[in-house]
Amino acid sequence: MRKHGVYRARKTGNTIGRRGAAALLALSLLVLNGCERQVGSAAYSGTESGSGEQIALTTAAESDSIQGVGDFGVNPNVLPSIDGVTIDANAEALAPVNLTVGVINSVVAELQQRLMDLGYMDNDEPTTYYGAATSRAITLFQRQKGMKQDGITGVETWDALMAADAPHYAVKLGFQGDDITNIQYRLYNLGYLTEARQISGTFDEATDTAVRKLQEINGLKVDGTVGVTTNDLLYSDEVKANVIALGEQSDIVKKYQQRLIQLGYLSGEADGSFGTGTQNAIRAFQSRNNQIVDGYLGPDTRAAMDSDKAVSFAIRIGEQSDSVTNLQKLLVKYGYLSADKATGYFGALTQQAVKSFQSRNGLSADGMAGAQTMEKLQSGNAKKAASGSRGGNAGGGRGSAGTGGGAVGNGGATVSGSAGNLISIASSKIGSPYVWGAKGPNAFDCSGFVYWALNQAGVGISYMSSSGWRNPGRFKRVSYGELQAGDIIVVSGHVGIVAGGGTVIDASSSNGRVVHRGLSGWWQNHFITGWRIFS
């Protein structure tokens, strides 16, 4: 072997996959052990052909022609970092042996896509940034494989993740983690775990039994494992619970019917029979009291009803129903809204009409039609609107009257009214960290961010996962081409707020924070539906 040569990495033209980084390290050590000097410098040398590249190690002085020792079949972007190795100024830096939080490299996007495909990471447009969310996803994968759980992607973790038989996300007996805590919490509220102390973060025998019961009652394969199907079911409005539900007759049902009547969600007499009217009243209560809307009298819902902080019934912005139509007809009667605008949708101008009515009639002007407002409207002695103050478009939306002034979108266009208020609120959290399961105010996941922003903008809505946003049961559905500022965009496994000018604000797992970015082709390719909140 040449005693004074310089070891240089060069590109050779053959198509290969990302594999064998460990082999490169081993071979490098063998070469170095047979020489009197260590790696002093290296550079990519100019051959590029075919549709891909390989790496070869050479022994040559700088002035000598290249003599290949061997082609390793390694993509240069997954080479380990070795002191003294350099690349062309126009090329990307080699990925380090260990991908850790803070690394920025093109291979991270491939890593994130693989994690998303296997269910360890919330679906998102992949990026080159290895953040805390990526590290957490790697930790979950390492747990699945029985590897050391350090959140670092080294050679062993990379190879295991990219293997054809890499396992999908699934938790089972013996696993521990914050995802287990969330699963147990939901099982508790659905009645499959009976005591709050069973929420421990450890997938124990009680959890295994609860999961099997859930799967049996809901017609799933009974294996005690929470994979994608079982996890989606947990947060679906179609899940069958093991708690007080439709068809039951009991004193406890009567007790909570009385509470629902007191709060304005139910009318008539409490009879202890859990019918569809009671179920709908519970759903309405849950949507206004930060509960998952499932129509069951689970422990969290009962506790919320028992609380002196329980929110009373009120018709709010974003709702569409016969109740809204009746409200609008009364506003028309007293001159607060134009007769042709009683559409059944509670938009920004309906909200403004309610506020005007409340102010003129000595009520708290919160823009929500609660019991006092409805009682006054139906009393027959409400004050009519001042001359010339009749409202216009009941839906409101872009350029309509509303709260919060305006927000400037990409390209300088101003979005005013309630949509502008929503965008301003969402923009205030740009840069906040992405944390799986977080709902604000200082950290968010994608659905938690939309939930928080809408509620801050006065659109009362319960928390829904990204899959729940496929059919939230309200709002107007729009196509991709119809999207406008203030709409909610739903893509496969992800949700965000359209900001106008071809942009979106969302809590991004791949970026590790709340971002304002363009609606790239990724969003269009993964588009499921859009929802018009202010129309």
Side-chain angles (χ1 to χ4, degrees):
M1 180 171 288
R2 191 183 302 272
K3 295 178 64 175
H4 299 293
V6 178
Y7 297 97
R8 303 170 66 190
R10 70 176 175 86
K11 295 181 179 179
T12 66
N14 288 306
T15 302
I16 54 94
R18 283 182 165 89
R19 67 185 188 274
L24 173 60
L25 280 172
L27 186 53
S28 297
L29 290 173
L30 287 174
V31 173
L32 292 175
N33 285 338
C35 304
E36 292 184 2
R37 60 179 296 175
Q38 295 181 352
V39 174
S41 64
Y44 288 131
S45 179
T47 60
E48 292 187 359
S49 61
S51 59
E53 299 166 343
Q54 283 188 338
I55 294 298
L57 192 68
T58 68
T59 62
E62 291 289 349
S63 59
D64 292 349
S65 60
I66 300 297
Q67 300 177 21
V69 173
D71 286 343
F72 302 146
V74 179
N75 185 298
N77 278 344
V78 294
L79 277 171
S81 294
I82 304 175
D83 289 342
V85 174
T86 63
I87 61 174
D88 292 338
N90 295 328
E92 182 188 23
L94 300 178
V97 172
N98 294 322
L99 297 174
T100 58
V101 173
V103 167
I104 298 176
N105 194 276
S106 64
V107 298
V108 176
E110 182 178 352
L111 176 79
Q112 290 178 345
Q113 186 61 63
R114 183 63 168 161
L115 289 167
M116 293 170 193
D117 291 342
L118 294 174
Y120 295 96
M121 192 172 183
D122 285 346
N123 200 36
D124 195 358
E125 182 177 10
T127 71
T128 59
Y129 175 65
Y130 195 109
T134 305
S135 178
R136 176 187 181 277
I138 285 294
T139 300
L140 295 179
F141 174 77
Q142 291 169 331
R143 181 186 66 185
Q144 197 80 20
K145 288 287 292 181
M147 305 169 72
K148 178 183 177 181
Q149 298 174 37
D150 57 12
I152 297 171
T153 303
V155 173
E156 182 183 4
T157 297
W158 176 279
D159 288 346
L161 183 65
M162 296 300 171
D165 61 351
H168 285 72
Y169 172 85
V171 295
K172 56 188 178 181
L173 191 65
F175 280 23
Q176 293 180 320
D178 56 359
D179 55 333
I180 309 300
T181 301
N182 290 327
I183 289 168
Q184 290 173 327
Y185 187 77
R186 185 63 179 142
L187 288 168
Y188 170 65
N189 276 285
L190 290 171
Y192 292 98
L193 288 177
T194 58
E195 300 178 43
R197 65 180 180 83
Q198 294 174 306
I199 304 171
S200 63
T202 297
F203 202 119
D204 53 16
E205 293 287 351
T207 305
D208 180 76
T209 300
V211 169
R212 290 176 183 274
K213 185 68 174 178
L214 169 81
Q215 292 169 330
E216 178 186 354
I217 290 178
N218 286 273
L220 299 182
K221 178 183 177 181
V222 180
D223 59 8
T225 298
V226 180
V228 174
T229 302
T230 301
N231 195 62
D232 285 347
L233 174 69
L234 279 169
Y235 295 94
S236 166
D237 59 3
E238 298 178 357
V239 64
K240 296 177 183 177
N242 195 34
V243 293
I244 304 166
L246 193 66
E248 183 160 336
Q249 176 87 34
S250 66
D251 288 339
I252 195 168
V253 173
K254 185 174 181 178
K255 170 189 173 181
Y256 287 104
Q257 283 176 331
Q258 290 170 338
R259 181 60 169 155
L260 288 166
I261 291 169
Q262 180 185 6
L263 292 170
Y265 292 93
L266 195 63
S267 59
E269 295 291 328
D271 60 6
S273 178
F274 199 130
T276 55
T278 300
Q279 184 183 56
N280 290 336
I282 291 171
R283 287 178 177 273
F285 173 84
Q286 290 170 328
S287 72
R288 290 161 173 80
N289 286 270
N290 197 26
Q291 303 287 307
I292 293 176
V293 180
D294 54 23
Y296 297 120
L297 268 177
D300 266 14
T301 297
R302 297 196 302 271
M305 285 190 189
D306 290 334
S307 171
D308 58 5
K309 296 181 179 178
V311 177
S312 298
F313 175 78
I315 307 173
R316 308 164 299 171
I317 194 168
E319 295 191 30
Q320 187 167 11
S321 65
D322 290 340
S323 295
V324 176
T325 301
N326 292 333
L327 166 66
Q328 290 172 336
K329 288 179 179 178
L330 289 169
L331 291 169
V332 169
K333 175 182 176 180
Y334 289 103
Y336 294 91
L337 198 64
S338 298
D340 61 340
K341 303 304 180 181
T343 63
Y345 183 82
F346 195 125
L349 289 183
T350 299
Q351 181 189 55
Q352 187 59 48
V354 171
K355 286 184 176 181
S356 298
F357 173 83
Q358 291 168 329
S359 295
R360 188 157 174 79
N361 285 272
L363 302 175
S364 175
D366 58 8
M368 295 187 291
Q372 286 186 319
T373 299
M374 293 305 298
E375 181 180 356
K376 190 66 176 178
L377 277 166
Q378 295 166 347
S379 67
N381 60 2
K383 293 181 181 179
K384 292 187 176 182
S387 177
S389 64
R390 183 180 296 270
N393 185 342
R398 184 186 294 270
S400 66
T403 60
V408 178
N410 188 39
T414 298
V415 181
S416 60
S418 294
N421 185 39
L422 174 63
I423 294 166
S424 293
I425 290 167
S427 297
S428 72
K429 292 301 178 179
I430 292 174
S432 296
Y434 175 96
V435 176
W436 185 81
K439 304 176 183 66
N442 299 314
F444 308 88
D445 67 7
C446 67
S447 51
F449 175 67
V450 171
Y451 159 78
W452 179 87
L454 284 172
N455 277 279
Q456 293 299 306
V459 183
I461 189 169
S462 61
Y463 174 78
M464 292 182 289
S465 65
S466 56
S467 61
W469 270 103
R470 295 186 178 207
N471 187 21
R474 53 195 285 204
F475 311 129
K476 177 184 177 182
R477 187 185 296 270
V478 295
S479 67
Y480 188 86
E482 295 172 318
L483 290 171
Q484 65 183 37
D487 289 348
I488 305 301
I489 180 171
V490 184
V491 294
S492 178
H494 193 61
V495 63
I497 299 171
V498 178
T503 65
V504 63
I505 303 174
D506 65 304
S508 166
S509 60
S510 58
N511 283 284
R513 61 191 184 278
V514 177
V515 295
H516 183 195
R517 52 179 165 169
L519 283 169
S520 65
W522 181 88
W523 292 82
Q524 186 168 9
N525 292 337
H526 293 81
F527 180 77
I528 294 175
T529 190
W531 297 106
R532 179 70 38 79
I533 308 299
F534 310 103
S535 67

